[in-house]
Amino acid sequence: MIEIQRRMLRIRRFDERASKMVKRGHIPGTVHTSIGQEAQVVGSTFALGDGDYMSGNHRSHGHPIGKGSPLGPLMAELVGKATGVCKGKGGSLHLADFSVGSLGESGIVGSSIPIATGAALSSKVLDNGRVALAFFGDGAANQGVLYESMNLAGAWKLPMIFLCENNQYALSTPAHTVTSGIIADRAAGFGMPGVRVENGQAVLAVYDAVKAAVDRARAGEGPSLVEVVTYRYNEHSEGLRLATDYRNAEERADWLSRDPIVLFREHLALQGVGSDELDLLESDALEEVDAAVAFSDNSPYPDLSVAFDDLYTDKELTA
């Protein structure tokens, strides 16, 4: 449980620093943070084994961190440095870390779902005991590619978990205005169980739901759909300014009062973990982020000569 808190803190402090770096011009483009969603991220990733696969979305720094990724190469990737997990070519929106089973993320809504489904198919063909988990948001829940993937996974009984991160807003669109019914209930149409975690700020509740789906998949019983109701504290992306305030103050205050990191610290204290140890987790996370920024600062940018490396292209035709 202490490791769960450590990983939630690593995500929070990493994303807080990334937010500041974007606003100061240290990171090109923008980033999408998981601040407020740490329980959903860590509860899900902690239920996976070391060799299991996952795919993400545009809000995916937290996923590899939740699965144990070192922070230095992740931060270097955000800045575009050669020491990044994708050699500086992926950036915030398209990073991957194969060392922890992260097969990649994408800014194209829903596009990484079939990637994880393919990984689940490979696991079944190879009979290697691994499962795959696809993260997607409430906005992607209405994409056709999700249902194509769920249909294949259900028909072939793939070891797959479809994980909907329902933070209730697709950019500024409230989910209830564009989504009919409960997302988890859609699982029934594909012959798989659907579970809705109403309190996605409670990390152990998320863990229990996802772990049950992982165990089911690993036992050869096929896929599951897990919907986790959570909330992002920051804007859709850092630095974004919208003309209207689409979230009312009362709603936001209610969710802020249920900060997953604060709640789990209180839980650990009740379990007998001392305040000194809990404070040390906080300071260690800050030191890790400082070290990650220093690693990034001291890393070179990619040389132009490697621009076409790792691409499916003919260098002679593109020269």
Side-chain angles (χ1 to χ4, degrees):
M1 289 196 293
I2 288 172
E3 183 61 26
I4 285 174
Q5 182 74 342
R6 178 180 289 111
R7 293 190 190 189
M8 288 200 294
L9 284 165
R10 292 172 85 226
I11 293 170
R12 174 69 59 90
R13 303 308 172 219
F14 183 94
D15 272 355
E16 286 175 341
R17 185 65 62 86
S19 175
K20 291 178 181 178
M21 292 170 68
V22 166
K23 292 165 185 174
R24 293 169 180 167
H26 297 164
I27 293 177
T30 187
V31 299
H32 303 71
T33 68
S34 297
I35 296 172
Q37 298 183 204
E38 292 88 355
Q40 166 257 305
V41 173
V42 176
S44 299
T45 53
F46 215 77
L48 297 171
D50 290 342
D52 290 336
Y53 304 115
M54 64 182 182
S55 66
N57 51 27
H58 55 280
R59 195 178 306 283
S60 273
H61 314 141
H63 300 146
I65 296 174
K67 209 163 179 289
S69 238
L71 301 189
L74 287 176
M75 186 63 79
E77 187 61 37
L78 265 60
V79 180
K81 295 297 186 74
T83 54
V85 287
C86 295
K87 304 177 185 178
K89 297 180 180 181
S92 169
L93 280 172
H94 300 99
L95 60 82
D97 186 356
F98 289 178
S99 71
V100 295
S102 173
L103 302 179
E105 59 176 80
S106 174
I108 301 172
V109 176
S111 65
S112 62
I113 297 171
I115 303 299
T117 308
L121 175 59
S122 76
S123 295
K124 183 165 185 174
V125 170
L126 297 172
D127 193 24
N128 59 20
R130 296 180 178 182
V131 306
L133 184 150
F135 288 102
F136 60 95
D138 49 277
N142 297 322
Q143 287 283 354
V145 70
L146 169 63
Y147 303 107
E148 294 175 18
S149 297
M150 289 177 69
N151 184 62
L152 284 175
W156 294 342
K157 296 184 76 69
L158 299 183
M160 177 77 189
I161 298 95
F162 298 92
L163 197 292
C164 178
E165 305 175 312
N166 186 351
N167 64 20
Q168 304 170 67
Y169 292 92
L171 205 155
S172 61
T173 303
H176 69 85
T177 66
V178 295
T179 299
S180 178
I182 301 299
I183 292 169
D185 290 347
R186 300 177 180 184
F190 300 94
M192 66 181 73
V195 178
R196 192 175 206 245
V197 183
E198 294 284 356
N199 184 9
Q201 307 306 84
V203 66
L204 295 183
V206 179
Y207 171 82
D208 287 343
V210 179
K211 184 63 164 60
V214 169
D215 290 346
R216 182 175 180 275
R218 214 181 301 281
E221 297 175 16
S224 303
L225 170 62
V226 180
E227 175 190 2
V228 181
V229 182
T230 184
Y231 201 78
R232 57 172 166 80
Y233 289 169
N234 287 15
E235 268 300 345
H236 169 74
S237 60
E238 298 307 295
L240 180 66
R241 295 289 183 268
L242 299 177
T244 59
D245 186 2
Y246 58 94
R247 299 191 289 188
N248 67 61
E250 183 179 348
E251 173 193 275
R252 192 164 185 274
D254 175 58
W255 282 95
L256 285 169
S257 71
R258 290 181 281 147
D259 187 312
I261 292 175
V262 174
L263 290 177
F264 202 60
R265 179 184 171 113
E266 293 171 352
H267 175 79
L268 290 174
L270 289 173
Q271 299 301 310
V273 182
S275 59
D276 287 347
E277 186 171 1
L278 292 169
D279 289 343
L280 184 60
L281 290 176
E282 294 267 2
S283 60
D284 283 350
L286 287 170
E287 288 180 7
E288 280 192 75
V289 172
D290 286 341
V293 173
F295 174 82
S296 176
D297 287 345
N298 294 323
S299 297
Y301 286 102
D303 189 81
L304 287 176
S305 64
V306 302
F308 294 105
D309 289 355
D310 308 311
L311 297 179
Y312 292 100
T313 185
D314 189 318
K315 290 185 180 181
E316 293 182 1
L317 292 177
T318 56

